[in-house]
């Protein structure tokens, strides 16, 4: 296990009322890339995902499917685990809110809040949206619906309340003291003005249905699903045992990744619950945008819900991973279209990166007897290219600490472009006749540049990058970012396997 600085990253836990789709895959993919990057960068990573299994929405879906809620959850939760395997996600844990460890943890935070005078019994009368699992004030409704467009129903029932109103000022102070807590900036401003406009106490229990965690000491109530769900982030590191090694190492979390629709729960309610329970809030919450499909909102009724498995089958896993993070500035909404997918896949991957790798490896196979070439003295152009590849790490690290995936890839691709230009300028095929030692140097410099690029693209495209590193004869234990420098450079004379293409072009089956 690495001893580096801890990095704890979480995805939202997914509702089991839905089959996994591209939106879910997107959130977890972003976390996977960060988790993989931080591990290769020597950090001690804990990467958590899982499923959110309580609440009225799940209870209704189970009823509609004619099965008992837990049996329903078992089935759908497994689909999310299978998605993680299909997308090559490297999560360290998968949490389900129906697990005993979690139920114990939610009841413990409830007791803690109660003991601190943060929860009181009252009664709730107002609007509730089952789809959003959220309460809305009359003034928030738009044409009789939730601001998200979801149907609302009138609810009147006894309820415990959390003293959210008391946390308005502490939250504003917390945001001011931690300017990086909410990203992107525009979302941060939205949250701050929401809190500035005043906070009402929050209903945190329900009595009108039964699928949830029982409120300790009051059997008539179950806990509000968001209090239950948010607590998963501390359950997974050992709460209520705050002295546990995992808790002391990983809490507060480095990053909660969420979609823009659930930012308020993570950036307002969650830090308030934590502060009220005497625990530190997470370090950062990033709200990403939403995908539409060929210009339309994804919805079951339109029948355009994209199953990530179908995409992977059509285009291959790593091209899909690359596309989702390269195509849209992270934080913005994006549109998925097959045209753009093919454009990126055939352009950035097959033509730029793939062609570089293929040209170089096949020249090495043909002209250097299938062994890593022996370089001679390096010219200025050689050291410049190698230097640019090495200089990528600090730039990419900084961009990823800000969740700027598209810019990180753009920056790496600048060096892919520089390497392709270097091939054309140096023309190793011509040197083969005129100056074979110089040809060997040029091919060595290129192979070494590709090694560095493959280490850096590894978090984004683990399989393809590993395939490139295998073809360069790089041993498995030499693939961390500590190996980017000259000390781990390719060893001349190493026998190399027969090169194979890594990034195929997509040819539309209908066009052939
Ligand atoms: N269960 C809650 C989260 C609780 S976390 C303590 C939930 N689940 S969800 O399954 O509805 O949504 C999970 C994530 O998927 C959210 O971050 C949401 O933004 C994301 N997406 C759902 N549809 C999406 C798109 N069309 N595009 C991108 N992401 C989307 O909310």
């Amino acid at each position: 296990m690495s001893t580096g600085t801890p990095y704890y990253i979480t995805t939202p836990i997914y509702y089991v009322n839905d089959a996994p789709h591209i939106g879910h895959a997107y959130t977890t993919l972003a976390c996977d890339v960060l988790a993989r990057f931080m591990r290769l960068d020597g950090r001690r990573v804990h990467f958590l995902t899982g499923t959110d299994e309580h609440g009225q929405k799940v209870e209704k879906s189970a009823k509609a499917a004619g099965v008992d809620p837990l049996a329903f959850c078992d089935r759908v939760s497994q689909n999310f685990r299978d998605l993680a395997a299909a997308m090559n996600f490297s999560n360290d844990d998968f949490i389900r809110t129906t697990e005993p460890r979690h139920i114990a943890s939610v009841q413990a935070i409830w007791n803690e809040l109660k003991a601190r005078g943060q929860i009181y019994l009252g009664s709730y009368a107002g609007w509730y949206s089952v789809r959003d699992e959220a309460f809305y004030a009359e003034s928030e409704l738009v044409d009789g619906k939730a601001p998200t467009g979801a149907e609302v129903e009138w609810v009147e029932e006894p309820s415990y309340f959390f003293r959210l109103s008391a946390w308005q000022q502490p939250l504003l102070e917390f945001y001011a003291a931690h300017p990086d807590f909410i990203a992107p900036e525009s979302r941060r401003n939205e949250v701050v003005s929401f809190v500035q406009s005043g906070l009402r106490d929050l209903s945190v229990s329900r009595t009108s249905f039964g699928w949830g965690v029982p409120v300790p000491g009051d059997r008539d109530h179950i806990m509000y699903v968001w209090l239950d769900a948010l607590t998963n982030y501390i359950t997974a590191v050992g709460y209520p045992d705050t002295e546990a090694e995992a808790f002391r190492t990983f809490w507060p979390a480095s990053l909660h990744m969420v979609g823009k629709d659930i930012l308020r729960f993570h950036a307002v309610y969650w830090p308030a619950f934590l502060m009220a329970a005497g625990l530190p809030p997470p370090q950062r919450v990033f709200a990403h945008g939403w995908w539409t499909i060929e210009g339309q909102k994804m919805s079951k009724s339109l029948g355009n819900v994209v199953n990530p498995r179908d995409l992977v089958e059509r285009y291959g896993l790593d091209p899909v991973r690359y596309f989702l993070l390269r195509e849209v500035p992270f934080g913005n909404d994006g549109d998925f279209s097959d045209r753009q997918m093919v454009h990126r896949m055939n352009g950035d991957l097959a033509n730029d990166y793939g062609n570089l790798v293929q040209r170089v490896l096949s020249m090495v196979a043909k002209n250097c007897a299938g062994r890593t070439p022996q370089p001679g003295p390096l010219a200025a152009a050689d050291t410049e290219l190698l230097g640019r590849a090495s200089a990528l790490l600090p730039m990419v690290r900084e961009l990823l600490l800000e969740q700027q995936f598209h810019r990180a890839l753009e920056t790496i691709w600048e060096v892919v472009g520089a390497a392709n230009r270097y091939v054309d300028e140096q023309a190793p095929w011509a040197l083969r006749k005129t100056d074979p030692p110089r040809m060997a140097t040029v091919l060595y410099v290129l192979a070494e540049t590709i090694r560095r690029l493959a280490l850096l693209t590894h978090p984004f495209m683990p399989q393809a990058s590993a395939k490139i590193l295998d073809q360069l004869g790089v041993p498995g234990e030499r693939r961390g970012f500590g190996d980017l420098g000259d000390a781990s450079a390719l060893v001349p004379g190493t026998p190399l396997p027969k090169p194979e293409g890594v990034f195929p072009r997509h040819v539309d089956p209908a066009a052939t």
Side-chain angles (χ1 to χ4, degrees):
M1 187 187 295
S2 161
T3 49
T5 329
Y7 186 79
Y8 179 25
I9 180 161
T10 67
T11 74
I13 48 173
Y14 301 104
Y15 284 130
V16 289
N17 64 307
D18 215 355
H21 58 61
I22 189 178
H24 307 126
Y26 183 55
T27 315
T28 313
L29 170 63
C31 294
D32 183 59
V33 169
L34 291 171
R36 287 176 179 275
F37 183 93
M38 298 304 165
R39 285 190 202 107
L40 291 168
D41 210 16
R43 295 184 66 171
R44 185 175 166 194
V45 170
H46 194 65
F47 167 21
L48 175 70
T49 187
T51 42
D52 188 354
E53 307 190 1
H54 290 130
Q56 212 167 343
K57 177 150 73 171
V58 172
E59 188 180 66
K60 280 190 171 174
S61 301
K63 214 171 259 170
V67 284
D68 143 84
L70 189 58
F72 177 80
C73 292
D74 288 345
R75 191 175 74 208
V76 188
S77 177
Q78 188 58 42
N79 295 340
F80 282 93
R81 276 185 204 259
D82 295 346
L83 174 74
M87 296 289 297
N88 200 5
F89 294 152
S90 63
N91 51 295
D92 299 293
D93 193 0
F94 186 101
I95 193 167
R96 300 182 54 186
T97 54
T98 47
E99 287 173 53
R101 62 169 169 165
H102 181 65
I103 293 169
S105 162
V106 182
Q107 291 187 324
I109 199 171
W110 179 281
N111 287 333
E112 188 66 36
L113 292 169
K114 191 95 198 296
R116 290 169 177 255
Q118 300 290 335
I119 286 180
Y120 62 91
L121 185 59
S123 74
Y124 180 78
W127 297 103
Y128 192 75
S129 153
V130 177
R131 194 183 87 188
D132 301 347
E133 296 282 20
F135 301 94
Y136 291 106
E138 181 81 41
S139 57
E140 286 178 285
L141 301 190
V142 183
D143 298 331
K145 291 192 174 176
T148 55
E151 298 291 336
V152 289
E153 58 190 46
W154 184 257
V155 168
E156 266 185 66
E157 59 190 38
S159 174
Y160 286 93
F161 283 84
F162 169 69
R163 293 190 194 284
L164 183 61
S165 57
W167 291 93
Q168 178 179 2
Q169 211 41 44
L171 280 170
L172 291 172
E173 283 162 22
F174 179 78
Y175 302 147
H178 301 88
D180 295 332
F181 174 61
I182 303 167
E185 182 83 21
S186 57
R187 302 267 170 224
R188 177 176 191 276
N189 299 339
E190 279 169 28
V191 169
V192 171
S193 37
F194 170 73
V195 174
Q196 270 166 346
S197 71
L199 294 176
R200 287 174 300 133
D201 287 353
L202 181 70
S203 168
V204 286
S205 76
R206 304 289 310 272
T207 55
S208 52
F209 68 99
W211 185 235
V213 179
V215 165
D218 192 341
R219 290 256 139 217
D220 293 341
H221 291 252
I222 56 157
M223 273 181 233
Y224 174 40
V225 65
W226 273 99
L227 172 57
D228 168 353
L230 289 161
T231 304
N232 92 86
Y233 301 132
I234 52 177
T235 304
V237 288
Y239 190 81
D241 182 3
T242 53
E243 291 306 309
E245 209 260 332
F247 195 91
R248 284 189 293 119
T249 307
F250 292 115
W251 194 260
S254 315
L255 177 66
H256 291 323
M257 181 69 78
V258 301
K260 61 180 184 178
D261 53 320
I262 56 172
L263 177 59
R264 188 181 291 184
F265 299 97
H266 284 81
V268 181
Y269 301 170
W270 181 226
F273 294 152
L274 286 165
M275 288 195 271
L279 296 169
Q283 295 174 27
R284 185 168 167 92
V285 179
F286 190 102
H288 66 66
W290 270 44
W291 284 93
T292 50
I293 308 299
E294 309 275 355
Q296 281 185 310
K297 199 173 166 207
M298 192 164 52
S299 84
K300 277 188 212 157
S301 47
L302 286 175
N304 65 349
V305 176
V306 173
N307 179 340
R309 283 164 174 276
D310 296 341
L311 284 188
V312 168
E313 206 167 290
R314 203 171 326 143
Y315 300 115
L317 175 58
D318 282 348
V320 170
R321 289 177 58 114
Y322 175 83
F323 173 82
L324 291 175
L325 292 176
R326 175 64 187 84
E327 182 66 7
V328 178
F330 200 68
N332 294 6
D333 290 338
D335 184 48
F336 182 89
S337 71
D338 286 290
R339 205 179 133 263
Q340 274 308 101
M341 172 75 226
V342 171
H343 180 73
R344 287 272 174 211
M345 180 175 173
N346 289 351
D348 303 7
L349 296 182
N351 284 353
D352 298 344
Y353 195 18
N355 197 28
L356 171 70
V357 174
Q358 193 140 349
R359 285 208 279 181
V360 171
L361 287 175
S362 55
M363 280 190 275
V364 168
K366 255 195 243 140
N367 304 316
C368 309
R371 289 172 183 267
T372 309
Q374 175 68 54
L378 297 188
D382 309 343
T383 41
E384 197 206 317
L385 183 64
L386 290 169
R388 283 190 68 175
S390 303
L392 283 173
L393 179 63
M395 294 193 259
V396 172
R397 183 190 290 128
E398 198 171 311
L399 290 166
L400 289 187
L401 283 171
E402 294 170 4
Q403 292 76 49
Q404 301 281 301
F405 299 95
H406 64 295
R407 290 197 42 216
L409 286 168
E410 226 170 55
T411 308
I412 298 173
W413 255 251
E414 280 167 19
V415 179
V416 170
N420 272 322
R421 285 194 298 278
Y422 172 94
V423 181
D424 296 340
E425 283 157 18
Q426 302 292 326
W429 52 88
L431 292 169
R432 199 173 80 118
K433 294 200 190 102
T434 56
D435 189 350
R438 177 66 195 151
M439 173 202 72
T441 305
V442 167
L443 290 178
Y444 181 85
V445 167
L446 282 164
E448 177 57 19
T449 303
I450 292 171
R451 182 186 75 87
R452 295 175 190 192
L453 289 169
L455 292 178
L456 285 162
T457 53
H458 196 268
F460 296 90
M461 298 185 285
Q463 290 174 347
S465 305
K467 211 164 152 189
I468 297 172
L469 293 168
D470 290 345
Q471 299 196 43
L472 288 169
V474 176
E477 66 283 4
R478 288 281 186 98
R479 295 182 179 188
F481 295 155
D483 296 304
L484 273 165
D486 294 344
S488 299
L490 294 171
V491 180
T494 307
L496 301 177
K498 193 169 165 305
E500 266 174 42
V502 179
F503 295 108
R505 284 181 72 77
H506 180 79
V507 182
D508 185 354
T512 54

